[in-house]
């Protein structure tokens, strides 16, 4: 059996995240779905795995939540169940940046589609910034991307403020694994007064899924947050044959 893996997130206004937790746990248990979901007042984030029908049922439930009709989902497949159990956790933030007053649902920068990303990467007036931590960057990144060498996403604001003068007059293009950190980091840059900033729609996973390897500006693999460890072009587990 091949398992469907769905990495998902949505910035949305949840007035009472705690009230959403048990119905999600019950549905996942009934559908044999495992993984981790994070709930906060700012939305939902996580990765789940199960049968096609089981994952579809859980995603249908999430899409019915306030503001989640346009839930961002990245699908892939795994030969073995990549999670041991199902966890739904309550958090202050679905991705931790520790900057008060940000509203990514409203203030995130414009997207660039994966099909248009290469032209941006090749533009000498563009500064490409990898918003992931140093461990993840060690698996792979885009040609010419700047690695802030952070240990966690929460260190990014300090790095940016220490380096912002380096990028005056440049367009800033940001990317991350699935897009969620870039929605928040680009909202942060706009909060800091940076207007010419964009980010990769759907993140690295969407790029590896949609852009042929022969045309790729990516090198290495992409670390993912489950037992597959990392994936390459076509979202194939590293170590598998195509």
């Amino acid at each position: 059996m091949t398992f469907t893996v769905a990495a998902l997130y949505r910035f949305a206004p949840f007035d009472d995240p705690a009230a959403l937790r048990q119905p999600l746990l019950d549905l996942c248990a009934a559908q044999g779905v495992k993984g981790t979901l994070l709930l906060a007042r700012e939305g939902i984030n996580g990765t789940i795995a199960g049968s096609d029908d089981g994952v579809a049922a859980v995603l249908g439930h999430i899409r019915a939540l306030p503001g989640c009709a346009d839930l961002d989902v990245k699908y892939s497949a795994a030969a073995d169940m990549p999670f041991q159990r199902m966890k739904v956790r309550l958090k202050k933030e679905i991705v931790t940046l520790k900057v008060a007053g940000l509203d990514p649902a409203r203030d995130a920068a414009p997207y660039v589609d994966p099909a248009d990303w290469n032209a941006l990467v090749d533009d000498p007036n563009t500064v490409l910034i990898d918003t992931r931590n140093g461990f993840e960057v060690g698996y792979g990144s885009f040609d010419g991307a700047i690695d802030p060498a952070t240990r966690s996403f929460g260190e990014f604001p300090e790095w940016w403020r220490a380096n912002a003068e380096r990028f005056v007059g440049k367009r800033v293009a940001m990317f991350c694994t699935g897009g969620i950190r870039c929605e928040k980091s680009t909202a942060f840059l706009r909060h800091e007064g940076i207007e010419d900033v964009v980010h990769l729609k759907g993140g690295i996973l969407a790029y590896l899924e949609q852009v042929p390897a022969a045309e790729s500006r990516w090198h290495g693999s992409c670390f993912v947050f489950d037992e597959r460890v990392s994936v390459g072009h076509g979202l194939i587990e590293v170590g598998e044959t195509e």
Side-chain angles (χ1 to χ4, degrees):
M1 175 181 177
T2 298
F3 292 88
T4 295
V5 181
L8 62 100
Y9 77 90
R10 180 69 178 172
F11 285 102
F14 292 163
D15 292 334
D16 186 4
L20 308 178
R21 181 176 181 272
Q22 197 60 48
L24 269 172
L25 277 171
D26 292 343
L27 178 59
C28 289
Q31 296 291 338
V33 169
K34 298 178 182 179
T36 299
L37 293 173
L38 306 180
L39 291 169
R41 294 182 66 87
E42 67 179 9
I44 187 168
N45 177 29
T47 304
I48 57 174
S51 67
D52 285 347
D53 290 346
V55 169
V58 175
L59 295 179
H61 176 89
I62 295 171
R63 287 190 175 103
L65 299 177
C68 289
D70 294 326
L71 183 72
D72 187 287
V73 184
K74 307 293 181 306
Y75 293 100
S76 56
D80 300 305
M81 168 56 81
F83 303 105
Q84 299 300 317
R85 57 196 177 101
M86 187 67 217
K87 296 175 282 189
V88 181
R89 293 175 170 168
L90 300 175
K91 295 283 188 177
K92 291 184 178 179
E93 301 177 74
I94 57 172
V95 58
T96 303
L97 195 60
K98 299 179 181 178
V99 176
L102 297 183
D103 184 356
R106 180 192 67 204
D107 297 331
Y111 294 116
V112 174
D113 286 329
D116 300 322
W117 187 250
N118 285 356
L120 196 69
V121 171
D122 295 343
D123 184 346
N125 197 49
T126 297
V127 172
L128 197 60
I129 298 178
D130 195 328
T131 65
R132 301 171 303 152
N133 65 50
F135 173 80
E136 295 168 80
V137 175
Y139 278 82
S141 193
F142 284 107
D143 295 333
I146 293 172
D147 172 15
T150 55
R151 291 170 297 176
S152 69
F153 188 50
E155 294 182 356
F156 183 80
E158 181 181 359
W159 176 86
W160 171 261
R161 288 166 177 157
N163 290 273
E165 291 187 1
R166 296 167 52 192
F167 312 126
V168 172
K170 299 281 189 177
R171 166 175 288 174
V172 177
M174 307 175 84
F175 63 93
C176 54
T177 305
I180 183 171
R181 282 177 279 190
C182 290
E183 293 211 28
K184 204 155 195 181
S185 59
T186 59
F188 165 68
L189 258 63
R190 296 179 86 176
H191 189 262
E192 295 283 294
I194 308 300
E195 289 301 323
D196 197 2
V197 55
V198 296
H199 61 117
L200 176 58
K201 186 174 184 180
I204 300 160
L205 296 180
Y207 182 91
L208 293 177
E209 180 180 32
Q210 298 174 33
V211 176
E215 300 172 14
S216 179
R217 302 298 190 273
W218 178 266
H219 59 266
S221 61
C222 179
F223 179 81
V224 289
F225 299 89
D226 57 53
E227 291 182 2
R228 294 173 299 162
V229 183
S230 69
V231 297
H233 284 91
L235 301 187
I236 295 170
E237 293 179 54
V238 171
E240 285 192 359
T241 55
E242 297 188 24

